[in-house]
Amino acid sequence: MCLIITLVFLALSLQSLYLGDWMSGSLYLLIALVFGFLLWKNVRMTYCERHGGCDAGCGIPAWLTRWFQKEDK
């Protein structure tokens, strides 16, 4: 489902950007990127579950987890 939504919104964004509608095109591109990220996360988690775990973790990527780390006091 994420793949279909990603492709549809990517096509809509490219069409809007080509026609010069920058606001709608940017919004559609943002939605496509969010669903693409969700798709990538789901594929990675499925791979980790099937192979018994991953070295780098199966959740959010390391570069994104650095933004949401707890501060040690």
Side-chain angles (χ1 to χ4, degrees):
M1 189 67 168
C2 282
L3 178 63
I4 295 169
I5 294 173
T6 302
L7 293 177
V8 166
F9 275 102
L10 187 62
L12 285 173
S13 72
L14 292 175
Q15 182 180 9
S16 295
L17 291 172
Y18 178 73
L19 294 175
D21 189 6
W22 299 104
M23 189 63 126
S24 295
S26 300
L27 179 65
Y28 294 149
L29 185 60
L30 179 67
I31 293 170
L33 290 174
V34 167
F35 276 100
F37 176 75
L38 289 174
L39 175 66
W40 176 60
K41 184 178 160 227
N42 287 337
V43 167
R44 188 169 171 174
M45 287 178 65
T46 303
Y47 176 82
C48 290
E49 287 175 1
R50 288 186 182 174
H51 291 93
C54 291
D55 295 335
C58 294
I60 300 174
W63 58 269
L64 189 58
T65 56
R66 278 185 256 138
W67 292 351
F68 302 107
Q69 287 181 348
K70 292 182 180 179
E71 294 181 12
D72 294 331
K73 292 183 180 182

